[in-house]
Amino acid sequence: MTAADRVYAIIKQRILDGQYPANSYIREATIGQELELSRTPIREALRRLVSDGWVEVIPHHGARVVSWTQRDVEEVFELRVLLEPQVVRRAASRIDPSRLDSLGELACHMEQLCERGDDLAIDEIAGLNNRFHAELITAADSPRLQRLLEAIVQVPVSRRSFHHYSGEELHSSMRHHREIIRALAAGDGEWAASVMRAHILAARAAQLHPPAR
Amino acid sequence: MTAADRVYAIIKQRILDGQYPANSYIREATIGQELELSRTPIREALRRLVSDGWVEVIPHHGARVVSWTQRDVEEVFELRVLLEPQVVRRAASRIDPSRLDSLGELACHMEQLCERGDDLAIDEIAGLNNRFHAELITAADSPRLQRLLEAIVQVPVSRRSFHHYSGEELHSSMRHHREIIRALAAGDGEWAASVMRAHILAARAAQLHPPAR
DNA sequence: ACGAGAAGAGTTGTATACCATTTTAGGTTA
DNA sequence: TAACCTAAAATGGTATACAACTCTTCTCGT
């Protein structure tokens, strides 16, 4: 792994952490001094972040962390509704039993955390949920589909999404996981895709129209 | 236009020409000497080509021209079947009359060329067809959808695709264009999406199973 | 003869430097 | 007060030198 790769990962992580807030500028010299690197690998990392849509460049002024509007969130959900069902549609005919098992374990773990229901548990669920989706993408065995999803499913959107869920919505999400596993085990891609579609649309509804609590 | 821009264009052209064959390595120093530039702008051009999917970088080993397998082509069509209908689904409720007019002109122009039927005309049709799809994407007004499509619809796939068409397939493609325009004029996104889906699936069939001629 | 390991060539990765361009802030002047 | 000018600071583009890595090949020991 080269220095530019590391810088890319570090900056991305800091954007996710909120350490680099939206609309803030990332100074090449500043981060270069901090990591004890020259501007060269920093610049390369920033270019990649630009082409991946994490930051935007204002000419002669710098690299600014992009800010997300409501419209951006809607655009992402619109695309996820198309692509994530395709993931499981493919996975249904390709997944092997061992991966089904690990999906089951993830679902089980998430359900247990769901019973606790506190904020920390919800954070953990978010992490496990990401792993769940990542396993599915691997099972789908389509590098391009994976790349597209990674390009649009910015974690800023999904990271704290479960905090928008009501208890009912959270349980519903868990049931979706189980049903997707059953559909995959049955090798039924359309069934799995339908559940996934509902899963994403439910997430969208929770995100866009947070229930009063 | 910077030197890096020129290098980008030159390398891309050479890949299309076959001057840089698939799986061959593009040496930074070699092309640098040839164009009398340092490695810096060449590197930047290569990085851009990587993010556009034309070449891939093996760390410490070099930039290799990507090779397309049958599977890659299938993957791309699978994604286009999902995304391109979404383009027109959105466009149906957003397109304005002037753009409908220019789509009509493009369709008209393509139909005239279609009557000629020689190889040169078919090349021209390919260019106009790209413009047709580009207009639709603009009308869809979704930067992310646009980015995803640009990321997967590599010209190596679409460039010579019309040469695979039989006369019947070519005329069918022209009728699809007209029907998409009618559906958009009617503001019916699902109609337009269905035709587009057929349009892409027809292209896929022509590409994957060339008819005996 | 054969495998392990080292040396070397070739290539990419990074540091540093230079100048141009542009923006911003601050100060000056009418 | 307002317009203008200037200098500082940052990026943008490129060149060059050196460091680090990979792969190949050749040697050496068994």
Side-chain angles (χ1 to χ4, degrees):
Chain A
M1 190 193 268
T2 68
D5 291 331
R6 281 193 297 275
V7 175
Y8 175 88
I10 289 171
I11 296 179
K12 194 156 146 182
Q13 189 57 50
R14 289 186 178 177
I15 294 174
L16 294 180
D17 291 346
Q19 198 171 340
Y20 291 154
N23 289 318
S24 68
Y25 284 90
I26 302 174
R27 300 288 170 206
E28 296 176 358
T30 308
I31 190 169
Q33 287 172 351
E34 182 193 338
L35 302 177
E36 294 184 324
L37 290 168
S38 76
R39 278 173 62 202
T40 310
I42 312 287
R43 288 181 62 159
E44 185 178 325
L46 284 175
R47 295 299 156 92
R48 265 157 65 191
L49 287 162
V50 167
S51 87
D52 289 358
W54 294 87
V55 305
E56 57 191 342
V57 158
I58 283 82
H60 293 102
H61 191 73
R64 186 172 61 180
V65 179
V66 299
S67 73
W68 285 67
T69 66
Q70 187 73 1
R71 204 196 125 171
D72 291 314
V73 176
E74 282 167 19
E75 246 188 277
V76 167
F77 273 113
E78 189 180 297
L79 292 170
R80 287 185 70 189
V81 165
L82 288 178
L83 297 178
E84 301 245 20
Q86 181 66 10
V87 168
V88 291
R89 195 176 285 122
R90 287 180 61 100
S93 58
R94 292 171 172 83
I95 200 164
D96 55 285
S98 73
R99 196 178 302 278
L100 270 175
D101 287 346
S102 55
L103 284 174
E105 284 168 28
L106 284 170
C108 187
H109 200 166
M110 281 189 271
E111 283 156 10
Q112 288 167 4
L113 287 164
C114 186
E115 291 310 308
R116 273 176 47 196
D118 56 299
D119 268 22
L120 201 67
I122 288 182
D123 276 339
E124 263 190 82
I125 290 177
L128 292 171
N129 186 61
N130 286 342
R131 275 185 54 197
F132 189 87
H133 285 256
E135 289 274 338
L136 291 176
I137 289 177
T138 308
D141 190 32
S142 171
R144 279 180 183 76
L145 183 51
Q146 177 168 9
R147 250 191 58 203
L148 293 195
L149 272 168
E150 283 169 357
I152 60 164
V153 181
Q154 311 273 14
V155 186
V157 177
S158 65
R159 189 165 151 272
R160 306 196 61 79
S161 64
F162 283 103
H163 291 276
H164 294 292
Y165 278 49
S166 67
E168 173 55 29
E169 286 167 338
L170 197 55
H171 280 91
S172 169
S173 181
M174 298 300 116
R175 284 195 296 273
H176 288 153
H177 290 157
R178 285 294 180 192
E179 189 170 354
I180 287 170
I181 293 174
R182 286 209 310 281
L184 291 178
D188 190 331
E190 286 309 318
W191 178 12
S194 298
V195 181
M196 180 59 94
R197 184 175 156 85
H199 188 59
I200 303 292
L201 288 174
R204 173 171 172 271
Q207 178 106 10
L208 297 182
H209 315 292
R213 256 175 299 164
Chain B
M1 191 192 263
T2 69
D5 291 331
R6 283 192 297 276
V7 175
Y8 174 88
I10 289 170
I11 295 179
K12 193 156 145 182
Q13 191 56 49
R14 290 186 177 178
I15 293 174
L16 290 177
D17 290 344
Q19 198 171 339
Y20 292 154
N23 288 317
S24 67
Y25 282 90
I26 302 174
R27 298 297 171 199
E28 297 175 356
T30 307
I31 190 169
Q33 285 172 355
E34 182 193 337
L35 302 177
E36 294 184 326
L37 290 167
S38 78
R39 283 172 49 212
T40 312
I42 280 91
R43 281 179 68 87
E44 185 177 330
L46 284 175
R47 294 306 145 98
R48 259 191 270 169
L49 288 162
V50 166
S51 87
D52 289 357
W54 295 91
V55 306
E56 56 192 342
V57 156
I58 286 90
H60 291 106
H61 192 70
R64 186 170 60 182
V65 179
V66 299
S67 75
W68 285 70
T69 65
Q70 187 72 2
R71 204 195 126 171
D72 290 314
V73 176
E74 282 167 19
E75 245 188 277
V76 167
F77 273 114
E78 189 181 297
L79 291 170
R80 287 185 71 190
V81 165
L82 288 179
L83 297 177
E84 301 245 21
Q86 181 67 10
V87 168
V88 290
R89 195 177 284 124
R90 286 181 62 100
S93 59
R94 291 172 173 82
I95 200 164
D96 55 285
S98 73
R99 195 178 303 280
L100 272 176
D101 287 347
S102 56
L103 285 174
E105 284 169 27
L106 285 169
C108 187
H109 199 166
M110 281 189 271
E111 282 156 11
Q112 289 168 3
L113 287 163
C114 186
E115 291 310 309
R116 275 176 46 197
D118 55 298
D119 268 21
L120 201 68
I122 288 184
D123 276 338
E124 263 190 82
I125 289 177
L128 292 172
N129 185 62
N130 286 343
R131 274 185 55 196
F132 189 87
H133 284 258
E135 290 275 338
L136 290 176
I137 289 177
T138 307
D141 190 33
S142 171
R144 279 180 182 75
L145 183 51
Q146 176 167 9
R147 254 189 52 207
L148 293 195
L149 272 169
E150 283 169 357
I152 60 166
V153 181
Q154 308 278 11
V155 185
V157 178
S158 63
R159 203 164 77 87
R160 305 195 61 78
S161 65
F162 283 102
H163 290 277
H164 294 291
Y165 278 49
S166 67
E168 172 55 28
E169 286 167 339
L170 197 54
H171 280 90
S172 169
S173 181
M174 298 299 117
R175 284 196 296 273
H176 288 152
H177 290 156
R178 284 294 180 190
E179 189 171 353
I180 287 169
I181 292 174
R182 286 209 310 281
L184 291 178
D188 190 332
E190 287 309 318
W191 178 14
S194 299
V195 182
M196 180 58 93
R197 184 175 156 85
H199 187 59
I200 303 294
L201 288 174
R204 173 170 171 273
Q207 178 105 11
L208 296 182
H209 316 290
R213 257 174 301 165

